[in-house]
Amino acid sequence: MTTTEHKGAVPAAVAPRKDPVRTANYLLYGAIAGICSKTATAPLERLRILQMVEHLHGGEGRYQGILRPLLIIAREEGIRGYWKGNATNVVRIIPTSAARFYTFEIYKTFLRRFVRRDQLNTGEVLLASASAGTTAAVVTFPMDFVRTRLTVQTAGNTYYRGVTNAVLSIYRQEGLLGFYKGVTAAVLNTAPYIAINFTTYEKLKEYTQAGGGSPGTVLSLAMGAIAGTLATTISYPADLIRKRIIVQEMGGKEGTYGGISDAVRKIMREEGPKGFYRGLTATYLKVVPSTAVTWWVIELCRSLSTNP
């Protein structure tokens, strides 16, 4: 009996793929991609969150549109107002993005070994990416919670003086579990978003790069934009509900919604179907370049690692 026939050996035909990029590297790649994409699109990120939640603060229509609300922010808060909450956002996105890409590779590797083949089908990629999104969402949710609270503050509604003050105030007023208000909605939003985003990009890459290798800059940006737009359209209502639940008790106010199902009923009754898509235009303007930049940076990092 030859050495390749010993008991427990994995047949060569089904041996797991050896990725030229170490899985652990995706922790760094994801972190770099997250910093670049979030900082570049911070003004639109703040605008879309303000549009999502203004209904709760009596500012109906104040931040609707694109140019006018951006001018309002600049006039009342200065240019720095566009990046309010971005420091917290960057701190949050580093572990979030790193966890998403790292766990995505981990789950893909596990599934390849489980199904005993190198190429995963669409359903299996969806499962791996949804699992990665769920893992990242749960682990980093408290940071997202604080970041959202800071981001929605305006010149006339300021409750926290900074990250530390926000953390201490939330803990005193809402307790430790307060940092996890909306976590279910976050998972319901993040899991399908990451599943659709990652799967769409992976399948587009397989289709366009049948011979292997990395896509060029333009193609990578285009595929990332398509993946992000599709994922956002499908998962947006859950993201809106998540953010409203997070901010509804700011400053010790009584919550408007008793939970996800109550939020769905009230939004439908008071605002109609359009209420679930407040801020969608600004989100598209943010997500398209943000996701495109994220995937481009990931591909650039892969390329630099495999071709030093």
Side-chain angles (χ1 to χ4, degrees):
M1 182 171 65
T2 64
T3 56
T4 58
E5 295 175 333
H6 68 274
K7 186 177 180 181
V10 178
V14 294
R17 181 183 65 178
K18 291 185 178 179
D19 196 319
V21 178
R22 292 177 60 235
T23 300
N25 286 7
Y26 284 93
L27 284 168
L28 178 61
Y29 299 168
I32 295 172
I35 293 170
C36 293
S37 63
K38 289 299 181 184
T39 301
T41 59
L44 289 171
E45 168 70 0
R46 181 161 190 238
L47 175 58
R48 83 182 185 97
I49 294 178
L50 287 171
Q51 290 178 343
M52 283 179 169
V53 305
E54 67 173 342
H55 177 74
L56 300 178
H57 297 283
E60 193 72 20
R62 177 175 169 80
Y63 294 103
Q64 294 307 303
I66 302 297
L67 182 58
R68 187 173 71 88
L70 286 175
L71 291 175
I72 290 174
I73 293 172
R75 184 174 65 249
E76 296 182 352
E77 306 174 48
I79 298 300
R80 293 178 62 183
Y82 292 137
W83 280 271
K84 181 177 285 187
N86 188 56
T88 308
N89 201 18
V90 167
V91 170
R92 177 193 69 89
I93 202 60
I94 289 174
T96 299
S97 186
R100 287 174 180 175
F101 284 97
Y102 175 67
T103 56
F104 182 47
E105 295 302 316
I106 291 292
Y107 288 129
K108 283 196 299 181
T109 299
F110 172 79
L111 285 174
R112 288 191 187 104
R113 291 172 178 168
F114 182 78
V115 300
R116 296 177 70 78
R117 52 182 158 77
D118 177 59
Q119 195 71 29
L120 298 177
N121 61 36
T122 301
E124 291 159 352
V125 177
L126 278 169
L127 177 59
S129 50
S131 299
T134 299
T135 301
V138 172
V139 170
T140 63
F141 186 78
M143 286 182 286
D144 186 40
F145 185 94
V146 174
R147 188 267 306 189
T148 299
R149 287 276 182 98
L150 289 170
T151 301
V152 301
Q153 293 188 128
T154 60
N157 292 288
T158 301
Y159 303 104
Y160 311 119
R161 295 188 299 275
V163 177
T164 302
N165 179 252
V167 171
L168 294 175
S169 297
I170 293 168
Y171 179 74
R172 285 196 301 266
Q173 295 174 6
E174 303 169 51
L176 187 61
L177 292 179
F179 292 99
Y180 283 91
K181 289 179 179 176
V183 68
T184 302
V187 171
L188 292 176
N189 161 246
T190 303
Y193 175 83
I194 296 300
I196 297 167
N197 182 355
F198 282 33
T199 302
T200 299
Y201 186 88
E202 288 261 314
K203 292 303 173 180
L204 285 173
K205 184 178 177 182
E206 283 181 17
Y207 179 76
T208 58
Q209 304 296 117
S214 298
T217 298
V218 174
L219 183 58
S220 179
L221 289 169
M223 293 191 300
I226 293 170
T229 301
L230 181 61
T232 296
T233 303
I234 295 173
S235 63
Y236 190 81
D239 189 32
L240 180 138
I241 291 171
R242 171 177 67 99
K243 285 185 169 60
R244 287 200 177 184
I245 290 175
I246 287 175
V247 306
Q248 65 177 343
E249 295 180 23
M250 282 180 65
K253 294 182 179 179
E254 184 177 351
T256 303
Y257 309 121
I260 295 175
S261 59
D262 184 52
V264 170
R265 287 193 299 270
K266 288 181 177 177
I267 293 172
M268 178 62 75
R269 183 176 65 247
E270 298 171 6
E271 305 169 57
K274 289 184 178 179
F276 293 102
Y277 291 92
R278 286 178 179 270
L280 182 59
T281 301
T283 300
Y284 279 142
L285 292 176
K286 182 197 81 81
V287 165
V288 171
S290 177
T291 312
V293 169
T294 295
W295 282 112
W296 174 70
V297 172
I298 292 294
E299 293 295 351
L300 179 61
C301 289
R302 285 172 175 164
S303 179
L304 292 174
S305 295
T306 55
N307 300 288

